[in-house]
Amino acid sequence: MPRTAFFISDGTGITAESLGRSLLAQFENVDLRMLTKPYIDSVEKARTLVEIIEATAVRDGEQPIIIDTIVDEGIRDVIRGATGFKVDIFSTFLKPLEQELGTHSSYSVGRTHSIGKDEVYMDRIHSVHFALDNDDGARTHQYDEADVILVGVSRCGKTPTSLYLALQFGIRAANYPLTEDDLDENGTLKLPKVLATHRHKLFGLTIDPRRLTAIRHERRPNSRYSSLDQCAQEVEQAEALYRQLHIPFIDTTRFSIEEISTRMIAETGLTRRFSPR
């Protein structure tokens, strides 16, 4: 039977889940079932959750792992009474920080993922809208406002990476697909004219052709678009263009969106408008 891990919060649960998953990811040989329990913001809800935790301990034959970011002391006391290995993030880290900083924490629920400063929140929204408006080459007249323009063949990860950069860092990312329409008379991929004046903003994505085939097959099975020969040819042409024009690029095959984005930022020096949430 797998061990069960509970990520508990009186807010969204995003902090508890993010930190909990990061910690537990180091234990690849352990079969873990992870459950997020947000908005445990009353003693009654906490007691109900404790009953669930106790039943889980009996079912699994092992005590659950409990990782929480509960602020309210009364609710935390209820959670502490549950059978489980407990990691209380706030009490573990806030007390030493209070001592170091010489002041008390505000102990406010939901501070990490609240709207907070209006200008930061609106900048986040604007960046997401920018990514959506400038997705897949749909619009090109706003490229002067772009912080980065992702280029690559179809289905190599441009859209999700653009949205992640916008949502997590406030980076205004456009993306443009490299297609057969951009081939010259010799069958060589050339830089589209609309991108020529923005070469300093370009960042390329590439992908293993076999992986690309599998992704495209889900969209258009048994088509030329998803064939291995077509995918291999497109990837080869795109990488040749990157090298010819000295466009930095990254292979997305084995990297998550988070890794792609942070590696891109590290390599290009893109300025984050705010920290990830």
Side-chain angles (χ1 to χ4, degrees):
M1 293 292 291
R3 295 285 295 271
T4 301
F6 287 90
F7 308 132
I8 306 170
S9 174
D10 40 15
T12 64
I14 294 173
T15 300
E17 180 176 1
S18 297
L19 181 55
R21 286 185 179 274
S22 296
L23 293 171
L24 295 175
Q26 307 306 313
F27 301 93
E28 296 179 355
N29 297 325
V30 180
D31 188 5
L32 289 164
R33 187 169 67 106
M34 304 183 194
L35 301 175
T36 302
K37 299 294 182 180
Y39 299 112
I40 305 301
D41 50 10
S42 70
V43 170
E44 291 74 19
K45 290 182 181 179
R47 288 172 178 160
T48 300
L49 179 56
V50 167
E51 293 177 1
I52 295 172
I53 293 172
E54 297 294 343
T56 301
V58 172
R59 184 198 65 202
D60 291 353
E62 296 277 3
Q63 64 176 354
I65 297 165
I66 301 171
I67 299 176
D68 80 84
T69 54
I70 298 291
V71 172
D72 185 272
E73 191 68 32
I75 298 173
R76 285 162 66 189
D77 285 341
V78 175
I79 299 297
R80 286 193 192 105
T83 299
F85 178 81
K86 303 173 187 67
V87 181
D88 185 337
I89 295 173
F90 279 174
S91 66
T92 300
F93 297 109
L94 282 184
K95 290 297 183 185
L97 280 171
E98 286 178 338
Q99 294 176 0
E100 175 64 25
L101 297 174
T103 186
H104 290 291
S105 163
S106 62
Y107 287 90
S108 300
V109 177
R111 288 295 294 272
T112 305
H113 301 283
S114 62
I115 289 179
K117 295 181 179 179
D118 288 344
E119 64 271 19
V120 173
Y121 181 75
M122 293 310 298
D123 203 32
R124 181 190 303 276
I125 297 301
H126 179 79
S127 297
V128 171
H129 282 313
F130 184 89
L132 292 171
D133 287 344
N134 294 275
D135 181 46
D136 210 29
R139 297 183 183 180
T140 59
H141 65 276
Q142 295 180 320
Y143 282 2
D144 286 340
E145 300 177 34
D147 298 315
V148 64
I149 304 170
L150 304 183
V151 293
V153 301
S154 172
R155 312 303 287 180
C156 69
K158 300 185 299 299
T159 295
T161 302
S162 296
L163 287 170
Y164 185 85
L165 287 167
L167 185 61
Q168 291 295 315
F169 304 108
I171 291 173
R172 289 165 193 166
N175 73 78
Y176 190 96
L178 300 174
T179 69
E180 290 182 330
D181 292 339
D182 301 312
L183 297 174
D184 62 19
E185 62 275 5
N186 299 315
T188 301
L189 191 66
K190 65 182 186 298
L191 190 69
K193 291 182 179 179
V194 71
L195 299 178
T197 57
H198 303 286
R199 276 181 55 178
H200 63 291
K201 295 183 179 183
L202 301 183
F203 194 96
L205 301 184
T206 188
I207 189 172
D208 183 275
R210 289 164 295 186
R211 175 61 179 155
L212 183 60
T213 295
I215 294 171
R216 288 184 175 184
H217 185 76
E218 294 179 1
R219 189 176 187 183
R220 298 182 196 169
N222 304 315
S223 64
R224 176 174 173 269
Y225 171 77
S226 62
S227 70
L228 181 57
D229 286 344
Q230 178 67 21
C231 291
Q233 181 180 19
E234 290 184 31
V235 168
E236 181 181 357
Q237 291 169 336
E239 291 183 1
L241 180 69
Y242 301 155
R243 294 188 179 98
Q244 176 190 350
L245 299 180
H246 305 289
I247 297 172
F249 67 96
I250 188 172
D251 188 332
T252 66
T253 308
R254 296 177 180 84
F255 291 138
S256 66
I257 295 171
E258 294 87 347
E259 290 174 303
I260 295 167
S261 301
T262 52
R263 285 173 181 268
M264 183 189 307
I265 291 171
E267 185 169 338
T268 61
L270 282 168
T271 301
R272 309 180 185 196
R273 285 188 172 81
F274 42 75
S275 299
R277 300 168 72 84

